[in-house]
Amino acid sequence: MKKIAVLCNYKLMPNRVGGMDYFYWLFDAECKKLNYQLTWFFPNVENFDKYAALNILCPKENQSIEAFFIDYCNQNNLIYDVVITHFLELCTSFFKNCKPYSKNIIAVDHNPRPLNGYPFKKRMIKKIKGYLYSQYIDLIVGVSQYTKNEIIKDFGQIVSKKTIVVYNGILTSNYKKREERAQTKPKFLVVSHLRESKGIQDLIEAVNLLPEQIKKELKIDLYGEGPYENVLRKNVKKNALETVFNFKGSVSNLYDIYAQYDYLLQPTHMECFSLSILESLCSNVPVITTNVGGNEEAVINNKNGYIFPAKSSIQLSEIIRSVFEGKTSIQEDTSVLIKTNFTIQKMVQNYIDLV
């Protein structure tokens, strides 16, 4: 019986069930079919939906997952065949401390990078950490080719031979499919955590640049919550765009909602490989997004969406106007690419193959 520990710095939230939740559930189920024994380490314990079937442990208040895991292994005299980390910082002293308790360590990097890269001091620190601690990681996984390239850039060529790509995937059967798109006056949505790096302030500026007649008819629904929401609301009010932007909050049925719209707007400044892009495309809803991270590994300009430079409100405004007036449109079925290349079943099998 193979013993596997999965450490995820990912808070479990019943009102935010996303692609990673489905991945964790399916990965657990597939491992059990193979008679693997899984222990999950999350920041909190929840029993909603299929989490009730997972063996979940969580740290005490103010204790990190990393420290809790080491303590747990010490107290129970445990050695795992495989330790997998998600959403943990790469190449830290934790991996050296973890090595005595694992025969094989796989570290998965989901973290986006700043638009203009890290400051010089941070780049140097990462290079040093790569030299000191990458030797204790057996395999590093990037969730896009962009992420793989950034990992090597961050930690040096020393990690190049042990770094691979495993793309994120989604449960494609969950998503309703839009059959027809409006050729003029389409409906737009945003699906995003509301923080500054998601660039929604650029979208507000782009809309403000549109002719008054378009602003009177344009509707954009924003799904999500976050620390930047009040700033965005004030920005909307300042520009008298309250009739355009509708803050919908977090919802648990996005898989039904995408198909009610014609285009997804994602003006993000930083991204690894966006699940919301995959979800939208799977619903046959093209994506208007920036040229950051792994976005262009899923969105092909003028084919299944439109790409513009991050922070370019002028170009975003031009795209929205052209699409709204019907001068340009996406004709192809955007779901085909996702159902072929980015399924959660494929993602799970790729990780099963690694353990």
Side-chain angles (χ1 to χ4, degrees), residues 14-65:
N15 65 338
R16 183 214 59 192
V17 177
M20 288 307 296
D21 298 286
Y22 289 106
F23 167 71
Y24 297 145
W25 298 340
L26 188 56
F27 182 74
D28 187 84
E30 291 301 310
C31 283
K32 284 175 179 173
K33 289 179 185 177
L34 296 168
N35 202 32
Y36 296 166
Q37 181 182 341
L38 261 69
T39 305
W40 295 84
F41 294 81
F42 283 106
N44 61 314
V45 175
E46 289 282 355
N47 292 319
F48 65 89
D49 214 306
K50 294 183 176 59
Y51 279 117
L54 273 61
N55 178 25
I56 299 175
L57 300 175
C58 73
K60 299 175 184 176
E61 190 176 356
N62 298 323
Q63 186 181 29
S64 69
I65 289 176

Side-chain angles (χ1 to χ4, degrees), residues 290-329:
T290 54
N291 59 347
V292 304
N295 288 356
E296 292 178 283
E297 294 173 51
V299 180
I300 302 168
N301 193 39
N302 292 311
K303 187 176 180 184
N304 61 353
Y306 299 102
I307 299 288
F308 66 96
K311 296 191 175 183
S312 179
S313 296
I314 293 175
Q315 289 194 37
L316 175 55
S317 184
E318 291 170 351
I319 293 170
I320 293 172
R321 179 173 183 175
S322 182
V323 169
F324 193 80
E325 293 178 340
K327 294 176 181 176
T328 57
S329 64

Side-chain angles (χ1 to χ4, degrees), residues 5-259:
V6 187
L7 282 64
C8 309
N9 194 15
Y10 176 93
K11 190 171 182 180
L12 305 182
M13 299 172 62
N15 65 338
R16 183 214 59 192
V17 177
M20 288 307 296
D21 298 286
Y22 289 106
F23 167 71
Y24 297 145
W25 298 340
L26 188 56
F27 182 74
D28 187 84
E30 291 301 310
C31 283
K32 284 175 179 173
K33 289 179 185 177
L34 296 168
N35 202 32
Y36 296 166
Q37 181 182 341
L38 261 69
T39 305
W40 295 84
F41 294 81
F42 283 106
N44 61 314
V45 175
E46 289 282 355
N47 292 319
F48 65 89
D49 214 306
K50 294 183 176 59
Y51 279 117
L54 273 61
N55 178 25
I56 299 175
L57 300 175
C58 73
K60 299 175 184 176
E61 190 176 356
N62 298 323
Q63 186 181 29
S64 69
I65 289 176
E66 294 96 324
F68 173 65
F69 175 76
I70 299 299
D71 287 348
Y72 182 79
C73 291
N74 266 326
Q75 292 166 10
N76 295 279
N77 197 26
L78 290 172
I79 297 178
Y80 287 94
D81 294 289
V82 183
V83 170
I84 306 172
T85 68
H86 291 275
F87 301 103
L88 267 63
E89 184 181 349
L90 295 185
C91 298
T92 65
S93 59
F94 162 73
F95 293 97
K96 179 179 179 180
N97 297 334
C98 177
K99 197 59 182 174
Y101 308 106
S102 176
K103 300 174 185 176
N104 189 25
I105 298 177
I106 301 171
V108 186
D109 187 351
H110 299 266
N111 299 317
R113 272 65 175 177
L115 183 59
N116 297 315
Y118 293 114
F120 176 79
K121 182 178 179 180
K122 192 163 187 176
R123 294 202 307 270
M124 293 302 99
I125 291 172
K126 284 184 175 291
K127 286 286 194 303
I128 294 169
K129 286 183 174 180
Y131 177 78
L132 291 175
Y133 300 120
S134 66
Q135 60 186 300
Y136 302 104
I137 305 173
D138 297 281
L139 189 67
I140 301 174
V141 178
V143 297
S144 63
Q145 185 60 47
Y146 155 82
T147 309
K148 176 183 176 181
N149 295 343
E150 290 296 309
I151 290 167
I152 296 169
K153 191 162 105 178
D154 286 347
F155 299 106
Q157 286 296 319
I158 194 170
V159 303
S160 60
K161 291 183 179 180
K162 62 171 70 177
T163 305
I164 66 168
V165 175
V166 175
Y167 281 108
N168 285 338
I170 61 171
L171 189 59
T172 57
S173 60
N174 261 9
Y175 294 88
K176 286 187 178 179
K177 182 179 174 182
R178 187 161 184 84
E179 297 302 331
E180 293 184 10
R181 298 184 201 111
Q183 296 304 302
T184 60
K185 301 180 182 179
K187 295 171 63 179
F188 297 92
L189 83 158
V190 175
V191 176
S192 176
H193 185 240
L194 303 184
R195 60 178 184 265
E196 186 175 7
S197 64
K198 290 300 184 178
I200 299 169
Q201 63 275 15
D202 303 338
L203 173 59
I204 296 170
E205 183 180 343
V207 170
N208 199 42
L209 294 172
L210 293 169
E212 290 301 320
Q213 186 56 42
I214 292 180
K215 286 192 275 189
K216 287 179 183 178
E217 300 177 274
L218 181 64
K219 302 294 179 187
I220 301 174
D221 290 342
L222 281 78
Y223 293 91
E225 299 173 343
Y228 208 56
E229 181 172 345
N230 286 337
V231 175
L232 296 173
R233 285 183 179 272
K234 288 178 182 177
N235 204 354
V236 166
K237 186 175 182 179
K238 174 186 172 184
N239 291 286
L241 297 173
E242 295 98 326
T243 62
V244 177
F245 290 95
N246 184 14
F247 289 82
K248 309 282 280 187
S250 291
V251 297
S252 58
N253 63 329
L254 278 170
Y255 47 84
D256 288 330
I257 288 173
Y258 284 102

Side-chain angles (χ1 to χ4, degrees), residues 170 181 188-189 258 261-266 273-274 276-290 294-308 319 323 328-342:
I170 61 171
R181 298 184 201 111
F188 297 92
L189 83 158
Y258 284 102
Y261 296 85
D262 298 294
Y263 289 89
L264 173 75
L265 295 164
Q266 194 190 62
F273 195 67
S274 169
S276 60
I277 283 180
L278 299 186
E279 292 166 350
S280 184
L281 294 176
C282 184
S283 304
N284 197 24
V285 176
V287 177
I288 300 170
T289 192
T290 54
N295 288 356
E296 292 178 283
E297 294 173 51
V299 180
I300 302 168
N301 193 39
N302 292 311
K303 187 176 180 184
N304 61 353
Y306 299 102
I307 299 288
F308 66 96
I319 293 170
V323 169
T328 57
S329 64
I330 299 298
Q331 300 299 323
E332 83 164 37
D333 182 347
T334 67
S335 69
V336 175
L337 173 70
I338 309 306
K339 292 178 179 178
T340 303
N341 295 330
F342 299 112

